[in-house]
Amino acid sequence: MKIIAIIPARGGSKSIPNKNIKKLNGMPLINYTIENCLKSGIFDYIIVSTDSKKIFYKVKKFKKILTFDRNKNISKDNSKTEEVVIDVLDKLRPLKNYKPDWIFITEPTSPLRSKATLINAKNILLKNKKINSLISLLKLNNIPGLLKNNKFHYIQNRKSRRQDRIPFYMESSTLYCVNYRYFIKTKKIVEKKPFGFEIPKLECIDINDFDDFKMAEALKKINII
């Protein structure tokens, strides 16, 4: 099975300036994802796509990483990850004369992702040949719902005993996997009913603001993951 990892690393971040290279316990945030991908040993190529010169030069020290310049027109706040994947594939194909079987999207904002999760994802794909897309999931311990006019509407009938509740799951941005042929045909990373696999709760931490950053930093500091 031929697999590539794409690490989308845009320079512009409003919540945390230069978020992707902000140091978390002394190491740029993006380095955790790069090292995680390298240690897994499952990728033919690991590619960082960025519009930032600062990120570009930070990543260049990793000799086994390909770094592709990303055009500004697909580096906006509303740009889609699918556009980044198309751009990476267009640049990789003539450079390496290579087509993968699977594409893994590994966001740099998930520094607690483990190499075991990447390896487990590959094993799932090896055993299930009909999967088009695979996403990581967080199991919820409580019942989710909607807030309308300050009133909470449960999605299912509330049961006080947790053991009696139907478990709910939430999409985690920790990992997305898409079959190359499916992506070329549909230009979609996630299909309507993707195959899902549960990952540890701590790995689902996604750094969007300073609170997330502090939480990830504290967990890394005590080597909890």
XYZ file of all heavy atoms in Angstrom, residues 61-96:
300
model
N 14.846 21.773 7.494
C 15.903 21.037 8.215
C 15.616 19.533 8.262
O 16.519 18.730 8.514
C 16.065 21.597 9.619
C 14.948 21.247 10.581
C 15.299 21.715 11.990
C 14.270 21.207 12.988
N 14.620 21.566 14.376
N 14.356 19.151 8.022
C 14.007 17.738 7.955
C 14.295 17.240 6.540
O 13.557 17.526 5.599
C 12.529 17.529 8.288
C 12.170 17.804 9.721
C 11.693 19.044 10.103
C 12.309 16.811 10.688
C 11.356 19.305 11.425
C 11.971 17.060 12.007
C 11.501 18.312 12.381
N 15.351 16.473 6.385
C 15.796 16.057 5.059
C 14.820 15.118 4.360
O 14.784 15.043 3.127
C 17.171 15.396 5.163
C 18.271 16.360 5.599
C 19.618 15.668 5.684
C 20.700 16.644 6.128
N 22.032 15.988 6.228
N 14.021 14.369 5.128
C 13.101 13.400 4.532
C 11.717 13.987 4.241
O 10.810 13.256 3.833
C 12.965 12.190 5.457
C 14.259 11.394 5.608
C 14.055 10.180 6.494
C 15.346 9.384 6.637
N 15.155 8.192 7.496
N 11.587 15.277 4.436
C 10.296 15.941 4.220
C 10.315 16.753 2.931
O 11.269 17.489 2.671
C 9.956 16.868 5.412
C 9.932 16.089 6.719
C 8.628 17.575 5.184
C 8.884 15.030 6.814
N 9.266 16.637 2.140
C 9.111 17.495 0.962
C 8.319 18.732 1.386
O 7.328 18.623 2.100
C 8.359 16.761 -0.147
C 9.036 15.540 -0.769
C 8.095 14.885 -1.778
C 10.337 15.931 -1.442
N 8.775 19.888 0.951
C 8.080 21.133 1.282
C 7.664 21.833 -0.003
O 8.521 22.177 -0.828
C 8.986 22.072 2.109
O 9.573 21.338 3.180
C 8.177 23.229 2.684
N 6.360 22.021 -0.186
C 5.828 22.638 -1.391
C 5.275 24.022 -1.084
O 4.539 24.206 -0.105
C 4.698 21.783 -1.990
C 5.169 20.488 -2.605
C 4.252 19.507 -2.943
C 6.515 20.242 -2.856
C 4.657 18.304 -3.512
C 6.934 19.050 -3.425
C 6.002 18.079 -3.753
N 5.652 24.978 -1.932
C 5.085 26.328 -1.823
C 3.617 26.282 -2.211
O 3.256 25.688 -3.225
C 5.820 27.298 -2.754
C 7.160 27.729 -2.188
O 7.220 28.002 -0.971
O 8.139 27.776 -2.949
N 2.799 26.938 -1.402
C 1.372 26.993 -1.699
C 0.991 28.399 -2.178
O 1.373 29.394 -1.561
C 0.544 26.644 -0.468
C -0.918 26.385 -0.800
C -1.807 26.388 0.418
N -1.333 25.539 1.504
C -1.973 25.435 2.655
N -3.086 26.128 2.878
N -1.492 24.676 3.627
N 0.243 28.438 -3.263
C -0.189 29.725 -3.811
C -1.118 30.446 -2.844
O -1.902 29.822 -2.131
C -0.904 29.486 -5.156
C -0.999 30.756 -5.975
O -1.696 31.684 -5.602
N -0.295 30.784 -7.091
N -1.038 31.768 -2.831
C -1.845 32.579 -1.915
C -3.345 32.399 -2.152
O -4.143 32.538 -1.226
C -1.484 34.066 -2.071
C -0.063 34.414 -1.628
C 0.117 34.247 -0.132
C 1.530 34.658 0.289
N 1.747 34.429 1.746
N -3.735 32.091 -3.388
C -5.175 31.973 -3.676
C -5.805 30.721 -3.078
O -7.028 30.586 -3.056
C -5.449 32.045 -5.189
C -4.831 30.899 -5.955
O -4.208 30.016 -5.379
N -4.982 30.906 -7.265
N -4.989 29.800 -2.574
C -5.547 28.642 -1.853
C -5.034 28.626 -0.407
O -4.962 27.569 0.228
C -5.230 27.299 -2.555
C -3.723 27.100 -2.727
C -5.937 27.211 -3.892
C -3.364 25.692 -3.201
N -4.691 29.822 0.073
C -4.191 29.958 1.448
C -5.010 30.964 2.242
O -4.524 31.559 3.204
C -2.715 30.388 1.433
O -1.927 29.480 0.705
N -6.239 31.152 1.825
C -7.114 32.110 2.497
C -7.856 31.440 3.651
O -7.817 30.222 3.811
C -8.118 32.681 1.487
C -7.467 33.369 0.291
C -8.513 33.779 -0.739
C -7.860 34.390 -1.969
N -8.849 34.714 -3.024
N -8.544 32.270 4.453
C -9.313 31.740 5.583
C -10.385 30.749 5.138
O -10.703 29.802 5.858
C -9.979 32.883 6.372
C -8.952 33.733 7.120
O -7.842 33.223 7.372
O -9.255 34.883 7.456
N -10.943 30.993 3.949
C -12.033 30.138 3.462
C -11.567 29.091 2.438
O -12.390 28.429 1.806
C -13.157 30.987 2.861
C -12.676 31.820 1.675
O -11.479 31.911 1.404
N -13.602 32.431 0.970
N -10.269 28.942 2.286
C -9.747 27.935 1.353
C -10.017 26.536 1.894
O -9.961 26.301 3.092
C -8.240 28.126 1.134
O -7.968 29.349 0.491
N -10.290 25.603 0.984
C -10.613 24.238 1.382
C -9.372 23.350 1.359
O -8.480 23.534 0.527
C -11.680 23.658 0.450
C -13.017 24.383 0.507
C -14.009 23.754 -0.458
C -15.353 24.457 -0.396
N -16.332 23.865 -1.339
N -9.348 22.381 2.247
C -8.226 21.436 2.288
C -8.131 20.663 0.979
O -7.040 20.294 0.536
C -8.387 20.461 3.468
O -8.558 21.205 4.674
C -7.167 19.569 3.607
N -9.284 20.414 0.339
C -9.282 19.712 -0.951
C -8.421 20.445 -1.975
O -7.738 19.800 -2.793
C -10.713 19.579 -1.480
C -11.546 18.507 -0.809
C -12.180 18.947 0.503
O -11.904 20.084 0.952
O -12.923 18.161 1.093
N -8.437 21.772 -1.945
C -7.625 22.556 -2.878
C -6.137 22.323 -2.627
O -5.329 22.272 -3.563
C -7.957 24.040 -2.736
C -9.376 24.407 -3.131
C -9.684 25.875 -2.889
O -9.630 26.308 -1.715
O -9.975 26.583 -3.872
N -5.783 22.192 -1.366
C -4.391 21.934 -0.994
C -3.961 20.555 -1.487
O -2.862 20.390 -2.030
C -4.212 22.031 0.537
C -2.769 21.695 0.926
C -4.589 23.411 1.034
N -4.831 19.575 -1.317
C -4.506 18.209 -1.754
C -4.302 18.165 -3.268
O -3.341 17.554 -3.757
C -5.615 17.224 -1.335
C -5.343 15.832 -1.912
C -5.712 17.145 0.190
N -5.167 18.817 -4.004
C -5.035 18.871 -5.472
C -3.701 19.499 -5.855
O -2.982 18.996 -6.736
C -6.206 19.669 -6.096
C -7.521 18.900 -5.932
C -5.938 19.940 -7.581
C -8.746 19.716 -6.272
N -3.353 20.585 -5.197
C -2.102 21.295 -5.484
C -0.891 20.405 -5.200
O 0.050 20.342 -6.004
C -2.037 22.571 -4.632
C -0.801 23.404 -4.914
O -0.644 23.873 -6.059
O 0.021 23.584 -3.982
N -0.917 19.692 -4.078
C 0.188 18.802 -3.710
C 0.326 17.673 -4.726
O 1.432 17.362 -5.176
C -0.019 18.231 -2.288
C 0.943 17.068 -2.037
C 0.184 19.316 -1.241
N -0.787 17.058 -5.102
C -0.736 15.954 -6.063
C -0.219 16.413 -7.420
O 0.551 15.695 -8.074
C -2.125 15.328 -6.212
C -2.670 14.592 -4.985
C -4.099 14.121 -5.260
C -1.786 13.420 -4.594
N -0.622 17.606 -7.831
C -0.165 18.155 -9.110
C 1.349 18.381 -9.117
O 2.003 18.248 -10.165
C -0.876 19.479 -9.398
C -2.325 19.284 -9.842
O -2.686 18.146 -10.192
O -3.089 20.266 -9.811
N 1.912 18.713 -7.959
C 3.353 18.970 -7.868
C 4.153 17.688 -7.636
O 5.296 17.572 -8.082
C 3.628 19.968 -6.742
C 3.129 21.370 -7.067
C 3.252 22.300 -5.881
C 2.769 23.701 -6.264
N 2.723 24.623 -5.109
N 3.543 16.733 -6.932
C 4.245 15.493 -6.615
C 4.367 14.578 -7.825
O 5.410 13.952 -8.033
C 3.495 14.764 -5.490
C 4.093 13.435 -5.017
C 5.457 13.661 -4.374
C 3.152 12.742 -4.033
N 3.320 14.530 -8.633
C 3.254 13.586 -9.757
C 4.431 13.741 -10.724
O 5.129 12.758 -11.015
C 1.919 13.742 -10.484
C 1.520 12.537 -11.320
C 0.135 12.730 -11.905
N -0.898 12.783 -10.881
C -1.632 13.868 -10.613
N -1.463 14.969 -11.310
N -2.538 13.841 -9.659
N 4.701 14.944 -11.254
C 5.830 15.083 -12.183
C 7.196 15.022 -11.488
O 8.189 14.618 -12.095
C 5.600 16.458 -12.821
C 4.790 17.212 -11.809
C 3.927 16.195 -11.146
N 7.219 15.393 -10.201
C 8.489 15.424 -9.479
C 9.004 14.022 -9.167
O 10.188 13.714 -9.321
C 8.330 16.217 -8.173
C 9.573 16.355 -7.290
C 10.637 17.198 -7.980
C 9.199 16.981 -5.946
N 8.106 13.149 -8.741
C 8.501 11.801 -8.315
C 7.930 10.690 -9.190
O 8.205 9.513 -8.930
C 8.040 11.577 -6.866
C 8.652 12.535 -5.856
C 10.143 12.284 -5.699
C 10.740 13.190 -4.629
N 12.186 12.923 -4.434
